[in-house]
Amino acid sequence: MNKPSAVETKTRVIKKSKIDYSQGPPPVSINAAWCKACNICISLCPQNVLAADIEGKPVVAQEENCIQCGACWTHCPDFAIKSNYK
Amino acid sequence: MSIAAKEAGARQESDVVLRYLRPHVKFPNMWCPGCGNGVVATSLIRAIDKLGLDRDNVVLVSGIGCSSRMPVYLDFQALHTTHGRALAFATGVKFSRPDLKVIVITGDGDSLSIGGNHLIHACRRNIDITTILINNYIYGMTGGQISPTTPPGAHATTTPYGSAEKPFEACDLAKGAGATFIARTTVYHTTQMDRLMMEAIQHKGFSLVEVISNCHTYYGRLNRLGQATALLRMFQEKASVQDKGTNMVDDRTKDMIPTGIIHRDSEKTELCDEYQKLIDSLAKGKPA
């Protein structure tokens, strides 16, 4: 039941993003009032940008890694994530 | 491309969803945390926005069920009908106003069990309706009973020792009944879902998009499959993305989910066109 799947065991080299987020807004904005802490965005992020806070809701932890792939906001069922760069 | 240019060019891409939500509805939505219905809703909005359709000319018709709550949140013309009869009402809407784009949002129990006859007869007539069938293998809203698509051996609240029944294949059923655009995708493959929904809405004739969705609250919990993320990973592993715009080779070996365009027929005539021809010929005074 809890054994890691073949997809999850693949290791992925995390590189820094080409976009510099230090000047502008964060790569993604999270509407915490609409978020239900389903963990999909944190789990699907290939670059480990998002991390869970104490309620399980995502926070932007490593913004310099975000490559704007869109995996978080296309899979968000609660319309709670939007990208500030796309 | 600089960041500013990217911002200006593609800003509506990620927050386009917010422009199509009803302003006076209470959010967050009523679906369980991680439910695939919200993913389908955002994908549908992106498809409609990319096609540039006027929201006053798009009608969302739904029946009863978790998935059928979608028109409550999306700001299009909406018709929330009785259980299973969404396609019957949609046929009436399309027949009286052929200029409207009619999209039916339905679930597996709603369209295959209670409304099974409406589905096959809408397919047979080949009326220009887009049906989005969200298949989560179980009745979610009423408490986890088996649905017509529950796989054999799967556990539900009405089959605590595993289901002994054979399931429906919704796409094969629609193909046999005469639908002219049939596609299957999963909630994991959002880019493919956007593309298939765009093609289905543009297609002239009856189009069915089956979206395999996750019900981790009942199906995942009773079958020990884990939470929403585990089910999404399962769809990622099981799905075989095969189509490149052509008719697809059906590969159902090893419990795979074949995704993509399954059947497309552009030759068959559409019902509203045929009816208009009949009206025109009768107006000239001679029956067709």
Side-chain angles (χ1 to χ4, degrees), chain B residues 30-71:
Chain B
M30 53 77 76
W31 296 313
C32 303
C35 179
N37 290 336
V39 185
V40 180
T42 54
S43 183
L44 179 66
I45 288 173
R46 281 198 298 273
I48 290 173
D49 190 72
K50 271 185 203 163
L51 290 172
L53 300 178
D54 185 3
R55 70 170 76 183
D56 291 338
N57 292 332
V58 177
V59 189
L60 297 189
V61 189
S62 71
I64 301 295
C66 289
S67 57
S68 303
R69 291 282 296 185
M70 203 184 285

mmCIF file of all heavy atoms in Angstrom, chain B residues 30-71:
data_model
loop_
_atom_site.group_PDB
_atom_site.id
_atom_site.type_symbol
_atom_site.label_atom_id
_atom_site.label_comp_id
_atom_site.label_asym_id
_atom_site.label_seq_id
_atom_site.Cartn_x
_atom_site.Cartn_y
_atom_site.Cartn_z
ATOM 1 N N MET B 30 -17.632 22.457 -2.814
ATOM 2 C CA MET B 30 -18.103 21.404 -1.914
ATOM 3 C C MET B 30 -17.416 20.061 -2.130
ATOM 4 O O MET B 30 -17.681 19.122 -1.401
ATOM 5 C CB MET B 30 -19.624 21.233 -2.055
ATOM 6 C CG MET B 30 -20.184 21.004 -3.438
ATOM 7 S SD MET B 30 -20.013 19.354 -4.154
ATOM 8 C CE MET B 30 -21.271 18.466 -3.253
ATOM 9 N N TRP B 31 -16.555 19.969 -3.162
ATOM 10 C CA TRP B 31 -15.914 18.687 -3.424
ATOM 11 C C TRP B 31 -14.876 18.357 -2.350
ATOM 12 O O TRP B 31 -14.328 19.253 -1.702
ATOM 13 C CB TRP B 31 -15.257 18.722 -4.803
ATOM 14 C CG TRP B 31 -16.235 18.872 -5.913
ATOM 15 C CD1 TRP B 31 -17.392 18.180 -6.070
ATOM 16 C CD2 TRP B 31 -16.170 19.797 -7.006
ATOM 17 N NE1 TRP B 31 -18.051 18.612 -7.206
ATOM 18 C CE2 TRP B 31 -17.323 19.592 -7.787
ATOM 19 C CE3 TRP B 31 -15.257 20.759 -7.413
ATOM 20 C CZ2 TRP B 31 -17.580 20.317 -8.950
ATOM 21 C CZ3 TRP B 31 -15.507 21.476 -8.551
ATOM 22 C CH2 TRP B 31 -16.655 21.258 -9.313
ATOM 23 N N CYS B 32 -14.608 17.068 -2.195
ATOM 24 C CA CYS B 32 -13.618 16.626 -1.211
ATOM 25 C C CYS B 32 -12.239 17.189 -1.568
ATOM 26 O O CYS B 32 -11.974 17.486 -2.728
ATOM 27 C CB CYS B 32 -13.523 15.105 -1.200
ATOM 28 S SG CYS B 32 -15.052 14.260 -0.887
ATOM 29 N N PRO B 33 -11.344 17.328 -0.612
ATOM 30 C CA PRO B 33 -9.990 17.788 -0.925
ATOM 31 C C PRO B 33 -9.307 16.851 -1.923
ATOM 32 O O PRO B 33 -9.222 15.648 -1.692
ATOM 33 C CB PRO B 33 -9.280 17.751 0.426
ATOM 34 C CG PRO B 33 -10.352 17.830 1.425
ATOM 35 C CD PRO B 33 -11.549 17.180 0.830
ATOM 36 N N GLY B 34 -8.878 17.395 -3.055
ATOM 37 C CA GLY B 34 -8.180 16.595 -4.058
ATOM 38 C C GLY B 34 -9.072 15.966 -5.094
ATOM 39 O O GLY B 34 -8.600 15.180 -5.909
ATOM 40 N N CYS B 35 -10.365 16.279 -5.106
ATOM 41 C CA CYS B 35 -11.283 15.643 -6.061
ATOM 42 C C CYS B 35 -10.968 16.078 -7.486
ATOM 43 O O CYS B 35 -10.676 17.252 -7.734
ATOM 44 C CB CYS B 35 -12.714 16.011 -5.725
ATOM 45 S SG CYS B 35 -13.900 15.298 -6.859
ATOM 46 N N GLY B 36 -11.050 15.143 -8.420
ATOM 47 C CA GLY B 36 -10.723 15.446 -9.804
ATOM 48 C C GLY B 36 -11.721 16.338 -10.512
ATOM 49 O O GLY B 36 -11.420 16.868 -11.580
ATOM 50 N N ASN B 37 -12.916 16.542 -9.935
ATOM 51 C CA ASN B 37 -13.908 17.373 -10.602
ATOM 52 C C ASN B 37 -13.410 18.791 -10.801
ATOM 53 O O ASN B 37 -13.693 19.422 -11.817
ATOM 54 C CB ASN B 37 -15.196 17.398 -9.772
ATOM 55 C CG ASN B 37 -15.917 16.084 -9.799
ATOM 56 O OD1 ASN B 37 -15.747 15.315 -10.734
ATOM 57 N ND2 ASN B 37 -16.696 15.818 -8.790
ATOM 58 N N GLY B 38 -12.665 19.313 -9.824
ATOM 59 C CA GLY B 38 -12.137 20.666 -9.960
ATOM 60 C C GLY B 38 -11.112 20.760 -11.076
ATOM 61 O O GLY B 38 -11.028 21.777 -11.775
ATOM 62 N N VAL B 39 -10.315 19.697 -11.258
ATOM 63 C CA VAL B 39 -9.326 19.685 -12.334
ATOM 64 C C VAL B 39 -10.027 19.706 -13.691
ATOM 65 O O VAL B 39 -9.611 20.420 -14.614
ATOM 66 C CB VAL B 39 -8.415 18.443 -12.200
ATOM 67 C CG1 VAL B 39 -7.325 18.469 -13.227
ATOM 68 C CG2 VAL B 39 -7.828 18.363 -10.815
ATOM 69 N N VAL B 40 -11.115 18.930 -13.801
ATOM 70 C CA VAL B 40 -11.881 18.917 -15.048
ATOM 71 C C VAL B 40 -12.502 20.283 -15.306
ATOM 72 O O VAL B 40 -12.536 20.775 -16.442
ATOM 73 C CB VAL B 40 -12.956 17.807 -14.999
ATOM 74 C CG1 VAL B 40 -13.759 17.784 -16.272
ATOM 75 C CG2 VAL B 40 -12.325 16.465 -14.770
ATOM 76 N N ALA B 41 -12.967 20.952 -14.221
ATOM 77 C CA ALA B 41 -13.578 22.272 -14.373
ATOM 78 C C ALA B 41 -12.564 23.279 -14.910
ATOM 79 O O ALA B 41 -12.862 24.042 -15.838
ATOM 80 C CB ALA B 41 -14.133 22.740 -13.024
ATOM 81 N N THR B 42 -11.349 23.285 -14.342
ATOM 82 C CA THR B 42 -10.339 24.238 -14.823
ATOM 83 C C THR B 42 -9.952 23.929 -16.260
ATOM 84 O O THR B 42 -9.738 24.841 -17.057
ATOM 85 C CB THR B 42 -9.088 24.184 -13.938
ATOM 86 O OG1 THR B 42 -8.630 22.849 -13.871
ATOM 87 C CG2 THR B 42 -9.363 24.699 -12.563
ATOM 88 N N SER B 43 -9.870 22.640 -16.595
ATOM 89 C CA SER B 43 -9.509 22.261 -17.959
ATOM 90 C C SER B 43 -10.584 22.698 -18.952
ATOM 91 O O SER B 43 -10.277 23.201 -20.041
ATOM 92 C CB SER B 43 -9.297 20.754 -18.016
ATOM 93 O OG SER B 43 -8.887 20.371 -19.282
ATOM 94 N N LEU B 44 -11.837 22.530 -18.560
ATOM 95 C CA LEU B 44 -12.948 22.942 -19.427
ATOM 96 C C LEU B 44 -12.923 24.453 -19.644
ATOM 97 O O LEU B 44 -13.129 24.938 -20.757
ATOM 98 C CB LEU B 44 -14.268 22.503 -18.794
ATOM 99 C CG LEU B 44 -15.549 22.862 -19.534
ATOM 100 C CD1 LEU B 44 -15.609 22.130 -20.859
ATOM 101 C CD2 LEU B 44 -16.766 22.539 -18.707
ATOM 102 N N ILE B 45 -12.635 25.209 -18.578
ATOM 103 C CA ILE B 45 -12.573 26.659 -18.707
ATOM 104 C C ILE B 45 -11.450 27.056 -19.662
ATOM 105 O O ILE B 45 -11.631 27.919 -20.528
ATOM 106 C CB ILE B 45 -12.370 27.295 -17.322
ATOM 107 C CG1 ILE B 45 -13.646 27.183 -16.498
ATOM 108 C CG2 ILE B 45 -11.976 28.754 -17.455
ATOM 109 C CD1 ILE B 45 -13.482 27.626 -15.077
ATOM 110 N N ARG B 46 -10.290 26.430 -19.520
ATOM 111 C CA ARG B 46 -9.170 26.775 -20.408
ATOM 112 C C ARG B 46 -9.507 26.444 -21.860
ATOM 113 O O ARG B 46 -9.181 27.205 -22.772
ATOM 114 C CB ARG B 46 -7.907 26.030 -19.982
ATOM 115 C CG ARG B 46 -7.207 26.647 -18.801
ATOM 116 C CD ARG B 46 -5.787 26.149 -18.702
ATOM 117 N NE ARG B 46 -5.733 24.707 -18.498
ATOM 118 C CZ ARG B 46 -5.782 24.132 -17.304
ATOM 119 N NH1 ARG B 46 -5.842 24.857 -16.231
ATOM 120 N NH2 ARG B 46 -5.747 22.819 -17.197
ATOM 121 N N ALA B 47 -10.193 25.304 -22.074
ATOM 122 C CA ALA B 47 -10.558 24.927 -23.441
ATOM 123 C C ALA B 47 -11.532 25.932 -24.040
ATOM 124 O O ALA B 47 -11.361 26.377 -25.187
ATOM 125 C CB ALA B 47 -11.169 23.525 -23.439
ATOM 126 N N ILE B 48 -12.542 26.351 -23.262
ATOM 127 C CA ILE B 48 -13.529 27.308 -23.771
ATOM 128 C C ILE B 48 -12.870 28.656 -24.012
ATOM 129 O O ILE B 48 -13.135 29.341 -24.996
ATOM 130 C CB ILE B 48 -14.712 27.403 -22.786
ATOM 131 C CG1 ILE B 48 -15.529 26.110 -22.814
ATOM 132 C CG2 ILE B 48 -15.616 28.571 -23.135
ATOM 133 C CD1 ILE B 48 -16.599 26.030 -21.773
ATOM 134 N N ASP B 49 -11.947 29.043 -23.106
ATOM 135 C CA ASP B 49 -11.269 30.332 -23.261
ATOM 136 C C ASP B 49 -10.358 30.347 -24.479
ATOM 137 O O ASP B 49 -10.282 31.333 -25.203
ATOM 138 C CB ASP B 49 -10.466 30.624 -21.994
ATOM 139 C CG ASP B 49 -9.945 32.040 -21.986
ATOM 140 O OD1 ASP B 49 -10.760 32.949 -21.805
ATOM 141 O OD2 ASP B 49 -8.728 32.225 -22.193
ATOM 142 N N LYS B 50 -9.669 29.214 -24.724
ATOM 143 C CA LYS B 50 -8.787 29.151 -25.894
ATOM 144 C C LYS B 50 -9.581 29.185 -27.187
ATOM 145 O O LYS B 50 -9.133 29.731 -28.186
ATOM 146 C CB LYS B 50 -7.947 27.865 -25.836
ATOM 147 C CG LYS B 50 -6.643 28.044 -25.086
ATOM 148 C CD LYS B 50 -5.826 26.769 -25.174
ATOM 149 C CE LYS B 50 -4.842 26.683 -24.032
ATOM 150 N NZ LYS B 50 -4.320 25.322 -23.853
ATOM 151 N N LEU B 51 -10.775 28.582 -27.177
ATOM 152 C CA LEU B 51 -11.605 28.607 -28.376
ATOM 153 C C LEU B 51 -12.265 29.967 -28.581
ATOM 154 O O LEU B 51 -12.794 30.241 -29.658
ATOM 155 C CB LEU B 51 -12.692 27.528 -28.291
ATOM 156 C CG LEU B 51 -12.224 26.094 -28.398
ATOM 157 C CD1 LEU B 51 -13.369 25.153 -28.113
ATOM 158 C CD2 LEU B 51 -11.678 25.823 -29.775
ATOM 159 N N GLY B 52 -12.241 30.827 -27.543
ATOM 160 C CA GLY B 52 -12.815 32.170 -27.669
ATOM 161 C C GLY B 52 -14.322 32.176 -27.765
ATOM 162 O O GLY B 52 -14.902 33.032 -28.435
ATOM 163 N N LEU B 53 -14.983 31.238 -27.092
ATOM 164 C CA LEU B 53 -16.451 31.212 -27.143
ATOM 165 C C LEU B 53 -17.028 32.262 -26.208
ATOM 166 O O LEU B 53 -16.460 32.551 -25.154
ATOM 167 C CB LEU B 53 -16.960 29.824 -26.724
ATOM 168 C CG LEU B 53 -16.505 28.637 -27.543
ATOM 169 C CD1 LEU B 53 -17.062 27.365 -26.943
ATOM 170 C CD2 LEU B 53 -16.954 28.770 -28.976
ATOM 171 N N ASP B 54 -18.158 32.846 -26.617
ATOM 172 C CA ASP B 54 -18.875 33.782 -25.761
ATOM 173 C C ASP B 54 -19.565 32.985 -24.655
ATOM 174 O O ASP B 54 -20.249 31.999 -24.936
ATOM 175 C CB ASP B 54 -19.908 34.545 -26.608
ATOM 176 C CG ASP B 54 -20.606 35.615 -25.805
ATOM 177 O OD1 ASP B 54 -20.236 35.791 -24.626
ATOM 178 O OD2 ASP B 54 -21.500 36.266 -26.353
ATOM 179 N N ARG B 55 -19.401 33.429 -23.403
ATOM 180 C CA ARG B 55 -19.952 32.619 -22.314
ATOM 181 C C ARG B 55 -21.474 32.620 -22.291
ATOM 182 O O ARG B 55 -22.077 31.742 -21.708
ATOM 183 C CB ARG B 55 -19.395 33.067 -20.969
ATOM 184 C CG ARG B 55 -19.877 34.400 -20.506
ATOM 185 C CD ARG B 55 -19.471 34.631 -19.071
ATOM 186 N NE ARG B 55 -18.066 34.967 -18.961
ATOM 187 C CZ ARG B 55 -17.452 35.165 -17.799
ATOM 188 N NH1 ARG B 55 -18.102 35.017 -16.685
ATOM 189 N NH2 ARG B 55 -16.182 35.493 -17.757
ATOM 190 N N ASP B 56 -22.108 33.594 -22.954
ATOM 191 C CA ASP B 56 -23.565 33.583 -23.017
ATOM 192 C C ASP B 56 -24.089 32.549 -24.004
ATOM 193 O O ASP B 56 -25.283 32.234 -23.997
ATOM 194 C CB ASP B 56 -24.074 34.960 -23.421
ATOM 195 C CG ASP B 56 -23.833 35.976 -22.332
ATOM 196 O OD1 ASP B 56 -23.687 35.552 -21.173
ATOM 197 O OD2 ASP B 56 -23.769 37.173 -22.628
ATOM 198 N N ASN B 57 -23.217 32.041 -24.875
ATOM 199 C CA ASN B 57 -23.656 31.060 -25.856
ATOM 200 C C ASN B 57 -23.221 29.647 -25.503
ATOM 201 O O ASN B 57 -23.293 28.753 -26.340
ATOM 202 C CB ASN B 57 -23.106 31.419 -27.243
ATOM 203 C CG ASN B 57 -23.729 32.685 -27.772
ATOM 204 O OD1 ASN B 57 -24.856 33.013 -27.423
ATOM 205 N ND2 ASN B 57 -22.992 33.403 -28.581
ATOM 206 N N VAL B 58 -22.711 29.453 -24.292
ATOM 207 C CA VAL B 58 -22.320 28.118 -23.847
ATOM 208 C C VAL B 58 -23.289 27.691 -22.758
ATOM 209 O O VAL B 58 -23.516 28.424 -21.801
ATOM 210 C CB VAL B 58 -20.874 28.121 -23.312
ATOM 211 C CG1 VAL B 58 -20.505 26.756 -22.783
ATOM 212 C CG2 VAL B 58 -19.915 28.539 -24.400
ATOM 213 N N VAL B 59 -23.908 26.527 -22.929
ATOM 214 C CA VAL B 59 -24.846 26.005 -21.943
ATOM 215 C C VAL B 59 -24.235 24.775 -21.300
ATOM 216 O O VAL B 59 -23.861 23.832 -21.993
ATOM 217 C CB VAL B 59 -26.194 25.620 -22.600
ATOM 218 C CG1 VAL B 59 -27.209 25.289 -21.528
ATOM 219 C CG2 VAL B 59 -26.701 26.721 -23.481
ATOM 220 N N LEU B 60 -24.119 24.799 -19.981
ATOM 221 C CA LEU B 60 -23.683 23.614 -19.256
ATOM 222 C C LEU B 60 -24.923 22.939 -18.681
ATOM 223 O O LEU B 60 -25.683 23.553 -17.947
ATOM 224 C CB LEU B 60 -22.733 23.973 -18.115
ATOM 225 C CG LEU B 60 -21.397 24.626 -18.437
ATOM 226 C CD1 LEU B 60 -20.553 24.670 -17.186
ATOM 227 C CD2 LEU B 60 -20.656 23.894 -19.514
ATOM 228 N N VAL B 61 -25.119 21.684 -19.046
ATOM 229 C CA VAL B 61 -26.270 20.925 -18.563
ATOM 230 C C VAL B 61 -25.737 19.811 -17.679
ATOM 231 O O VAL B 61 -24.745 19.163 -18.027
ATOM 232 C CB VAL B 61 -27.079 20.340 -19.737
ATOM 233 C CG1 VAL B 61 -28.379 19.750 -19.240
ATOM 234 C CG2 VAL B 61 -27.359 21.390 -20.778
ATOM 235 N N SER B 62 -26.361 19.594 -16.533
ATOM 236 C CA SER B 62 -25.884 18.527 -15.659
ATOM 237 C C SER B 62 -27.062 17.883 -14.972
ATOM 238 O O SER B 62 -28.159 18.444 -14.904
ATOM 239 C CB SER B 62 -24.913 19.076 -14.620
ATOM 240 O OG SER B 62 -25.609 19.841 -13.686
ATOM 241 N N GLY B 63 -26.821 16.693 -14.460
ATOM 242 C CA GLY B 63 -27.860 15.963 -13.736
ATOM 243 C C GLY B 63 -27.610 16.044 -12.243
ATOM 244 O O GLY B 63 -27.469 17.122 -11.688
ATOM 245 N N ILE B 64 -27.522 14.898 -11.610
ATOM 246 C CA ILE B 64 -27.296 14.837 -10.174
ATOM 247 C C ILE B 64 -26.008 14.053 -9.932
ATOM 248 O O ILE B 64 -25.744 13.076 -10.609
ATOM 249 C CB ILE B 64 -28.482 14.143 -9.467
ATOM 250 C CG1 ILE B 64 -29.790 14.887 -9.726
ATOM 251 C CG2 ILE B 64 -28.246 14.016 -7.972
ATOM 252 C CD1 ILE B 64 -29.868 16.258 -9.156
ATOM 253 N N GLY B 65 -25.253 14.487 -8.967
ATOM 254 C CA GLY B 65 -24.012 13.808 -8.630
ATOM 255 C C GLY B 65 -22.953 14.819 -8.243
ATOM 256 O O GLY B 65 -23.171 16.021 -8.341
ATOM 257 N N CYS B 66 -21.808 14.313 -7.807
ATOM 258 C CA CYS B 66 -20.714 15.219 -7.427
ATOM 259 C C CYS B 66 -20.285 16.051 -8.629
ATOM 260 O O CYS B 66 -20.174 17.265 -8.557
ATOM 261 C CB CYS B 66 -19.523 14.422 -6.928
ATOM 262 S SG CYS B 66 -19.764 13.654 -5.346
ATOM 263 N N SER B 67 -20.052 15.376 -9.763
ATOM 264 C CA SER B 67 -19.575 16.088 -10.943
ATOM 265 C C SER B 67 -20.614 17.071 -11.450
ATOM 266 O O SER B 67 -20.277 18.105 -12.011
ATOM 267 C CB SER B 67 -19.251 15.086 -12.045
ATOM 268 O OG SER B 67 -20.393 14.317 -12.327
ATOM 269 N N SER B 68 -21.873 16.775 -11.237
ATOM 270 C CA SER B 68 -22.938 17.625 -11.761
ATOM 271 C C SER B 68 -23.109 18.904 -10.968
ATOM 272 O O SER B 68 -23.959 19.726 -11.303
ATOM 273 C CB SER B 68 -24.247 16.843 -11.780
ATOM 274 O OG SER B 68 -24.081 15.677 -12.533
ATOM 275 N N ARG B 69 -22.326 19.096 -9.913
ATOM 276 C CA ARG B 69 -22.320 20.379 -9.210
ATOM 277 C C ARG B 69 -21.509 21.428 -9.958
ATOM 278 O O ARG B 69 -21.471 22.577 -9.556
ATOM 279 C CB ARG B 69 -21.711 20.208 -7.813
ATOM 280 C CG ARG B 69 -22.560 19.418 -6.876
ATOM 281 C CD ARG B 69 -23.690 20.192 -6.306
ATOM 282 N NE ARG B 69 -23.244 21.301 -5.464
ATOM 283 C CZ ARG B 69 -24.068 22.063 -4.774
ATOM 284 N NH1 ARG B 69 -25.358 21.824 -4.826
ATOM 285 N NH2 ARG B 69 -23.627 23.057 -4.041
ATOM 286 N N MET B 70 -20.826 21.033 -11.006
ATOM 287 C CA MET B 70 -19.895 21.947 -11.684
ATOM 288 C C MET B 70 -20.557 23.213 -12.242
ATOM 289 O O MET B 70 -20.019 24.303 -12.059
ATOM 290 C CB MET B 70 -19.164 21.183 -12.785
ATOM 291 C CG MET B 70 -17.847 21.792 -13.166
ATOM 292 S SD MET B 70 -17.118 20.917 -14.516
ATOM 293 C CE MET B 70 -16.552 19.449 -13.723
ATOM 294 N N PRO B 71 -21.731 23.126 -12.893
ATOM 295 C CA PRO B 71 -22.352 24.364 -13.402
ATOM 296 C C PRO B 71 -22.739 25.344 -12.304
ATOM 297 O O PRO B 71 -23.014 26.505 -12.593
ATOM 298 C CB PRO B 71 -23.597 23.859 -14.143
ATOM 299 C CG PRO B 71 -23.298 22.477 -14.478
ATOM 300 C CD PRO B 71 -22.463 21.950 -13.376
#
